[in-house]
Amino acid sequence: MEPTFDIVTRIAERSGELSVSEQKVARLILSDLAAASAASIDTLAEQAGVSKASVTRFAKVLGCADVRELKRRLAQASAIGTRFLQPRSDAPANSADVVYQDIVALLQANRELINLDVVRKAASAVGSARMVYAFGMGGGSTVVADEARFRLVRLGVPVATYQDAVLQRVVAATMDTHSVVLAFSVTGQVPELLASVAIAREYGAQVVAITALGSPLAKLADHLLPIQTMETDFVFKPSSSRYAMLMALDILATEVALLERDQSQELLRRIKYVLDTSRGGDDRQPLGD
């Protein structure tokens, strides 16, 4: 397998090894990765004001076999979007307003994707499962998978959370028709998560997925609660996508609770009683949140 490396970082790391001609090639490439990835060696040499041999040497200094590999890696790097590559000076006057407005806009857009009939079918699967396995990998999805455990355990639902790829495969192999996988992924394209979910399905588990509509994970779902991301060009702010997952999860947990209202109310009363007798406080303190 070909070694993977970030070509932009590699250029920075090896800048001290570059000759004057090779530095000209580096400046040209960093000014527009996409254009450089599409240019011929003749074009790169001409625009940088160097010889073709200098372009070839530049590629080899970076660890590429040839200019063709260099161009392919540049194309991969440019695919992430120029918003992460260009110098930025778009500092907001009030970062609190930017964060808040993005969250509100995201929640409003995702509210339109909620289909209560689908949510209720998913809630029925979760509520009747012998065991629910919450899967999530990465930053936001890991947090929301743990949040699912906190939401569901209060309702008496047997639930565990797994974020490690190997452990997900292990528990997926132990599942059966009484199991439910609650899978979280903003993109729905994480290979390790997809493999674990596919294994679980093979052994009969139902899959409830909170993920992007039309994604590979969505296609594996028996019950899909779709989410839409709305990433902006202001790259310094944490992604608001996790709020879409949290909203979908809270709606799902609410519907699980409503399936057995009397039982849910009694369990929540017990939790409130146990917590308040140990910590004190007023009646409006949250239930272990």
Side-chain angles (χ1 to χ4, degrees):
M1 181 180 294
E2 184 180 65
T4 299
F5 61 83
D6 182 345
I7 193 70
V8 176
T9 300
R10 182 66 62 86
I11 292 174
E13 290 175 343
R14 302 195 177 178
S15 59
E17 304 173 27
L18 302 178
S19 67
V20 174
S21 295
E22 291 160 1
Q23 290 175 21
K24 292 180 180 179
V25 178
R27 285 196 297 271
L28 173 68
I29 286 174
L30 292 177
S31 67
D32 192 338
L33 292 184
S37 69
S40 66
I41 185 172
D42 294 297
T43 301
L44 289 173
E46 180 181 353
Q47 292 182 348
V50 301
S51 66
K52 290 192 293 183
S54 294
V55 177
T56 300
R57 285 195 299 271
F58 173 79
K60 292 186 179 298
V61 167
L62 296 184
C64 297
D66 49 33
V67 176
R68 179 180 298 178
E69 182 187 345
L70 170 66
K71 291 171 57 179
R72 181 168 51 75
R73 292 188 183 275
L74 291 174
Q76 291 172 342
S78 66
I80 68 169
T82 56
R83 62 195 178 112
F84 291 101
L85 296 169
Q86 300 300 326
R88 307 193 65 87
S89 59
D90 52 345
N94 190 325
S95 61
D97 286 341
V98 172
V99 171
Y100 171 77
Q101 290 164 3
D102 282 354
I103 293 171
V104 170
L106 178 86
L107 292 178
Q108 289 175 339
N110 278 272
R111 171 62 185 89
E112 301 302 317
L113 297 178
I114 297 296
N115 183 324
L116 273 180
D117 289 336
V118 175
V119 175
R120 285 167 180 157
K121 290 177 182 177
S124 178
V126 169
S128 60
R130 186 167 62 194
M131 188 70 188
V132 175
Y133 302 86
F135 285 1
M137 300 183 73
S141 298
T142 291
V143 170
V144 180
D146 276 340
E147 179 71 9
R149 175 161 52 92
F150 301 146
R151 294 308 106 218
L152 296 176
V153 74
R154 304 186 313 164
L155 304 174
V157 175
V159 56
T161 308
Y162 295 90
Q163 290 93 11
D164 180 82
V166 174
L167 281 177
Q168 284 183 2
R169 284 176 175 255
V170 169
V171 297
T174 70
M175 295 184 195
D176 56 26
T177 56
H178 302 289
S179 307
V180 168
V181 173
L182 182 51
F184 298 91
S185 177
V186 172
T187 65
Q189 297 181 18
V190 180
E192 296 85 355
L193 179 64
L194 293 173
S196 298
V197 171
I199 292 169
R201 279 182 58 90
E202 181 180 348
Y203 288 105
Q206 289 194 68
V207 177
V208 176
I210 296 179
T211 191
L213 189 66
S215 67
L217 179 57
K219 295 175 183 177
L220 290 173
D222 297 291
H223 310 284
L224 172 65
L225 280 60
I227 59 170
Q228 174 185 352
T229 60
M230 298 171 60
E231 298 302 313
T232 69
D233 287 340
F234 185 58
V235 301
F236 304 103
K237 177 185 67 63
S239 170
S240 58
S241 60
R242 65 194 185 282
Y243 291 97
M245 290 193 290
L246 283 170
M247 180 176 70
L249 171 61
D250 278 4
I251 294 170
L252 174 64
T254 300
E255 290 297 325
V256 172
L258 291 174
L259 287 173
E260 299 288 345
R261 296 187 183 209
D262 291 344
Q263 175 181 311
S264 297
Q265 186 169 337
E266 171 58 16
L267 292 176
L268 295 172
R269 183 200 66 79
R270 293 185 199 176
I271 295 170
K272 180 66 173 171
Y273 171 77
V274 169
L275 292 177
D276 282 3
T277 55
S278 65
R279 72 185 178 189
D282 60 50
D283 181 56
R284 295 297 176 178
Q285 284 190 336
L287 298 182
D289 296 342

